[in-house]
Amino acid sequence: MSSNPTTLDPELLEQFLGALMTLTPEGQILSWNRGAEVLYGYSAEQALGLSIFDLIVPSDRAEETRNQIEKAVVAGAATYESVRLRKGGLSVAVSVSLRTVKDAQGRTLIATNDRDRPMGALGQSFKSVAASEERYRALMEQANDAILIMDLAGRILEINRETERLLGRPRGEIVGRQYGEFVVPEEREEVARRWRQFVAEGTVFVGNRQFLRADGERVSAEVSASIVRLGAESTTLTILRDITGRRRAEQEIAERMELADFTSDIGAALIRDEALPVVLQQCAEAMMRHLEPAFARIWTLNRAGDMLELQASAGMYTHLDGAHARVRVGQFKIGLIAAEREPHVTNDVIHDARVSDPAWARREGMVAFAGYPLVVGAKVVGVMAIFARHPLSPNALGSMAAAANQIALGIKRKWTEEEQRASEEQYRLLFESNPHPMWVYDEDTFAFLAVNEAALRHYGYSRDEFLAMTAPDIRPPEEHGGGHRSPDILKHRKKDGAIIEVDIAANPIVFEGRKAWLLLATDVTEKRSLEAQLQQSQKMESMGRLAGGVAHDFNNLLGIITGYGELLRKKVGADARLIKYVDDIIKAADRAAGLTRQLLAFSRKQVLQPRILDLNAVVGETETMLRRLIGEDIQLVTVLADRLSPVRADPGQMDQVLMNLAVNARDAMPRGGRLTIETGNVALDHTYARHHAGVEPGQYVMLAVSDTGHGMTPEVRARSFEPFFTTKAMGKGTGLGLATVHGIVRQSGGHIWLYSEPGHGTTFKIYLPRTEAPGAAVGAPAPAEADLPTGSETILLVEDEASLRELVGECLEASGYKVVEASHGMAALEAGERHRGRIDLLLTDVVMPGMSGRELAERLRESRPEIRTLYMSGYTDDAVVLHGILAEDMAFLQKPFTAADLARRVRAVLDRT
């Protein structure tokens, strides 16, 4: 420490570790920080003005303390160890650092920094973090992600509440244990290796891990870990983000795509000109690739019809001999499947009565079994079965059933070829019965020589129409050329003009004496669409997180700008030039606030106040406003369904949706046109859901907005919901209109889909889940009041943003209210205890360090049951909303707000009966 006196910077006071005080040379206390309150138990109000010799210095240490103060005055600094008294008389050992400082008048003062002496280096570091409550609590307790602080050996030292939720365990079962204990067993060895590498290299680790909850459930998380220094020791800061829900949705889409490939691989294997055992082995290996069982086997029925013979085996068992090489029909589980001609499926192998060796199943970790009879017509031709170490999903079982039909037909075809290779009738059995479109065309002329029933059904042509065409005729003009030498994925055009994408498997053959090609076409349009939807969903989610974070932080700044602008407006007098300046500031802040609200809507992080709504009433009440908005040259038509079911949504946000879509339609019809708004009850089935990622089948209410404008190109459609994307000229639009609509609809639990073609207008269809509660019309907004309401009640104001707290306090006091301020929940409880009079209203932020606004309100009601509560926030995360912060009976004020908004809302809550 320097021995030269320095000038004390008051703004740095709270950043020092320990109890920091400023004293006169005689020992009178001039300043007293939060650390002093914590160490000695006295608040600043209790300590200021007193002498340390009367408050915290024991009588037997008084002379020592005076000597050290005199030493500091002479030398500029002094350090020593001593004993102090806490409130209540308890002694505490401290390390004391003294130095001289100058105040604004040039007087010499003593700055003393007392530290609790027994605390170790790491403990000091944690207290250093804790001394800055706002930063520490925001990092640990307000975070939406799980945060763990660990030593370099992987022992957990500290966690936040989200960690308890993620791991499904209380704090006492986590802190002190090794990080690897909570990782799923199969990843622990890799985690240990990666941990050693991470500590040795000191790099940042980012990856994905699965964790095991106390109830046995597995959760997936993104892991970000880095080494940080806390005091003299190195620790690790690890952040876990729960991605279980996202992973499940991605796995569902991935599983559908994988199973589409599975049936395609089975079909391709079955048309190869190879021996039956080879083809069936390829089918068994396809099961291994796409279903990931422990092993897969296929038996065929012998010619006598009484014995199943093993033809193919893949996975952990590849041999074709042994106990199950020949299974009599009616014996064991395989023989029973053939005898009963019924599948046998279970996801609980251990307790399945048909499993002859449960000890083997338990030892090998078997979980699921699925066996299917291979039947053609009324005849069993074999059995296919798998054992798996994981449960089999309904999608997987459905694909197995479809594959069983294909394999059965394939076995039948091979038998037929063996019995009568020259018989075209037997060949046609497989060709005509294949569920995928198949055809044969001439190698030289590309003329179709034969097509199967599946091709006729799928493409819409009759057999005569097909046989009169060539292979290039079913391809769009831009795809012509190449024949069988074209890429594996082609575009085909059906008779009705629809364009589909198909995966082609082609084999050269000799057909009726001429060289030809046999093709099997698998429609992959749905698969490619799901891939595109998944990529778009992930992109929109990433953009939403970025937009929401920026908007939330910007909201608080705008609140301060708007509030102080209004206060300044009252103080500039009659100077017209200054009045204009202030008004321009406020208008700019209002426009910026509108942009942040749209960003929050897009990111689905704004606070909604949903009600039971009749969308017909919403459309009816906005119709007049919409007519003024779109102009006289555009005709507005409403087609509203009778007995429309109610929905649960925020009425103001639904008005915003209609206005944004109407403005979008107006801009698409510069020469006039027609805007149609429709409502209706609809049921979205599994087929619709399969083609639209993220949609659950069920009952919905549709709101459709259509225009007769110029429409959109495919490139514009693909980006229409992205924030800041616009086709308008510079300065003519923000690019947030449709992004806002998308965010509002998704946050309301609904879905929005866009249909548009260049020159044919645009239709937006919004689907909101139906609710059984009766619908309600949306009330008209209250008229603006000429004079702002005032009052004389007492308000407890709790806001952790100091500038915003000061501003709101000034506004309330200007309206006549008495204001008691607090920066966080615990400070508010202490203020409530100190205040002897009545407190009429708690005005609190929703999310604060250490204690939420709702928890604070509940604790205050224990001692003050008459107190009313008004919440305020820019937004709250989905998890907070789900936990009831904004129930319908709770008053809420959206940030940023004006002084007028504040005055009216406070008065309304106080006057509410």
Side-chain angles (χ1 to χ4, degrees), residues 239-534:
I239 299 176
L240 309 180
R241 173 163 294 174
D242 190 347
I243 58 172
T244 306
R246 190 182 79 195
R247 277 294 179 84
R248 286 173 180 164
E250 292 174 351
Q251 289 169 357
E252 171 71 14
I253 294 175
E255 182 184 43
R256 291 184 188 179
M257 294 188 293
E258 182 70 24
L259 293 175
D261 289 340
F262 168 53
T263 55
S264 177
D265 283 0
I266 293 292
L270 292 171
I271 65 171
R272 291 190 176 96
D273 188 18
E274 299 183 58
L276 179 59
V278 176
V279 170
L280 295 182
Q281 184 64 31
Q282 292 172 349
C283 292
E285 290 169 357
M287 291 186 228
M288 294 300 303
R289 285 195 305 273
H290 298 290
L291 303 178
E292 298 183 345
F295 63 94
R297 286 181 161 178
I298 302 174
W299 291 261
T300 59
L301 194 66
N302 67 355
R303 295 185 180 277
D306 61 352
M307 190 72 68
L308 292 165
E309 299 173 341
L310 184 60
Q311 299 289 340
S313 185
M316 64 183 290
Y317 300 130
T318 58
H319 58 274
L320 299 179
D321 54 6
H324 293 89
R326 290 171 58 83
V327 179
R328 187 169 297 279
V329 174
Q331 291 185 350
F332 306 119
K333 56 185 178 296
I334 300 300
L336 287 172
I337 291 171
E340 296 170 353
R341 299 185 184 182
E342 291 291 335
H344 181 65
V345 176
T346 178
N347 278 324
D348 187 11
V349 165
I350 302 300
H351 300 98
D352 185 5
R354 289 195 173 186
V355 175
S356 59
D357 192 354
W360 164 85
R362 184 179 291 105
R363 183 174 64 253
E364 295 294 340
M366 298 302 172
V367 172
F369 170 83
Y372 288 84
L374 305 178
V375 181
V376 178
K379 182 179 180 181
V380 175
V381 298
V383 172
M384 57 176 275
I386 63 172
F387 270 98
R389 294 188 175 95
H390 57 82
L392 297 172
S393 70
N395 289 335
L397 295 174
S399 295
M400 281 197 70
N405 291 333
Q406 290 179 268
I407 293 172
L409 292 170
I411 292 172
K412 180 64 175 177
R413 180 178 68 86
K414 288 295 183 181
W415 282 355
T416 303
E417 288 176 349
E418 292 170 2
E419 295 172 357
Q420 193 177 0
R421 288 187 175 275
S423 173
E424 188 172 336
E425 181 64 28
Q426 296 298 322
Y427 162 79
R428 189 176 295 115
L429 177 65
L430 175 62
F431 184 76
E432 291 294 345
S433 302
N434 197 296
H436 294 282
M438 296 180 68
W439 55 76
V440 178
Y441 68 84
D442 187 279
E443 182 175 276
D444 297 322
T445 66
F446 300 122
F448 286 111
L449 305 178
V451 293
N452 70 349
E453 287 292 337
L456 302 181
R457 289 193 305 269
H458 201 71
Y459 286 82
Y461 295 103
S462 68
R463 191 176 299 275
D464 290 340
E465 288 173 329
F466 235 126
L467 295 179
M469 296 189 297
T470 64
D473 291 339
I474 63 171
R475 297 175 64 181
E478 65 272 15
E479 294 277 319
H480 280 175
H484 54 272
R485 291 175 292 278
S486 301
D488 290 339
I489 302 296
L490 301 177
K491 289 184 178 180
H492 281 177
R493 182 172 57 194
K494 299 165 70 171
K495 185 177 181 179
D496 61 7
I499 304 297
I500 61 174
E501 293 184 89
V502 293
D503 185 357
I504 296 296
N507 284 288
I509 63 171
V510 176
F511 184 84
E512 297 180 348
R514 44 179 155 170
K515 292 182 179 181
W517 284 84
L518 172 66
L519 264 72
L520 180 142
T522 303
D523 190 336
V524 295
T525 308
E526 177 184 342
K527 174 186 173 184
R528 298 290 284 268
S529 174
L530 289 171
E531 290 173 341
Q533 290 180 42
L534 176 60

Side-chain angles (χ1 to χ4, degrees), residues 508-830:
I509 63 171
V510 176
F511 184 84
E512 297 180 348
R514 44 179 155 170
K515 292 182 179 181
W517 284 84
L518 172 66
L519 264 72
L520 180 142
T522 303
D523 190 336
V524 295
T525 308
E526 177 184 342
K527 174 186 173 184
R528 298 290 284 268
S529 174
L530 289 171
E531 290 173 341
Q533 290 180 42
L534 176 60
Q535 293 173 357
Q536 180 70 6
S537 174
Q538 291 173 335
K539 179 174 72 173
M540 297 288 281
E541 185 68 25
S542 298
M543 298 176 71
R545 284 198 298 269
L546 174 62
V550 171
H552 174 258
D553 293 340
F554 198 46
N555 250 345
N556 280 341
L557 299 177
L558 289 175
I560 296 169
I561 294 171
T562 302
Y564 279 114
E566 291 179 340
L567 293 177
L568 184 59
R569 178 68 175 79
K570 297 177 181 178
K571 297 181 181 296
V572 296
D575 190 324
R577 185 168 57 91
L578 293 180
I579 290 174
K580 181 180 182 303
Y581 291 164
V582 174
D583 287 346
D584 287 346
I585 291 172
I586 295 174
K587 290 177 182 177
D590 287 342
R591 287 196 297 272
L595 289 176
T596 61
R597 282 192 292 272
Q598 293 183 74
L599 284 173
L600 287 173
F602 166 71
S603 63
R604 308 199 298 278
K605 290 186 176 179
Q606 65 177 346
V607 176
L608 298 184
Q609 294 177 297
R611 290 170 28 196
I612 305 302
L613 297 181
D614 178 354
L615 286 186
N616 284 348
V618 174
V619 173
E621 292 173 8
T622 58
E623 186 173 346
T624 301
M625 177 178 61
L626 293 179
R627 291 185 188 277
R628 290 197 298 267
L629 188 66
I630 62 178
E632 296 180 354
D633 56 344
I634 296 177
Q635 178 187 7
L636 176 61
V637 178
T638 59
V639 183
L640 307 181
D642 295 331
R643 295 186 294 276
L644 188 68
S645 297
V647 298
R648 182 177 176 83
D650 186 316
Q653 296 300 321
M654 296 313 299
D655 290 344
Q656 183 72 52
V657 167
L658 285 170
M659 285 191 292
N660 286 14
L661 293 180
V663 168
N664 188 76
R666 178 198 66 191
D667 295 343
M669 298 182 288
R671 294 191 177 94
R674 183 172 63 191
L675 173 64
T676 304
I677 301 177
E678 302 175 65
T679 61
N681 295 317
V682 297
L684 302 183
D685 58 15
H686 287 82
T687 300
Y688 184 92
R690 190 168 61 250
H691 287 82
H692 297 80
V695 175
E696 292 292 333
Q699 301 296 320
Y700 291 81
V701 174
M702 180 201 69
L703 173 64
V705 178
S706 305
D707 65 60
T708 57
H710 49 61
M712 301 183 192
T713 64
E715 294 76 18
V716 172
R717 286 201 309 270
R719 301 187 61 191
S720 57
F721 293 120
E722 292 183 11
F724 306 115
F725 173 74
T726 179
T727 57
K728 299 176 184 176
M730 183 70 70
K732 297 297 184 180
T734 64
L736 287 173
L738 294 182
T740 300
V741 171
H742 181 274
I744 291 171
V745 172
R746 294 305 303 269
Q747 192 175 5
S748 300
H751 309 279
I752 181 169
W753 301 104
L754 164 63
Y755 308 85
S756 184
E757 295 291 340
H760 293 84
T762 300
T763 295
F764 291 91
K765 287 191 176 181
I766 296 169
Y767 299 99
L768 297 175
R770 296 190 203 178
T771 181
E772 298 302 323
V778 184
E785 299 180 40
D787 297 320
L788 297 181
T790 60
S792 58
E793 291 89 343
T794 299
I795 298 175
L796 175 55
L797 169 62
V798 190
E799 166 61 56
D800 57 340
E801 180 72 36
S803 299
L804 187 57
R805 183 174 68 251
E806 180 180 350
L807 169 63
V808 174
E810 289 185 19
C811 293
L812 292 173
E813 289 174 347
S815 296
Y817 298 104
K818 303 178 189 67
V819 180
V820 178
E821 294 186 12
S823 60
H824 53 82
M826 289 303 300
L829 293 176
E830 293 172 1

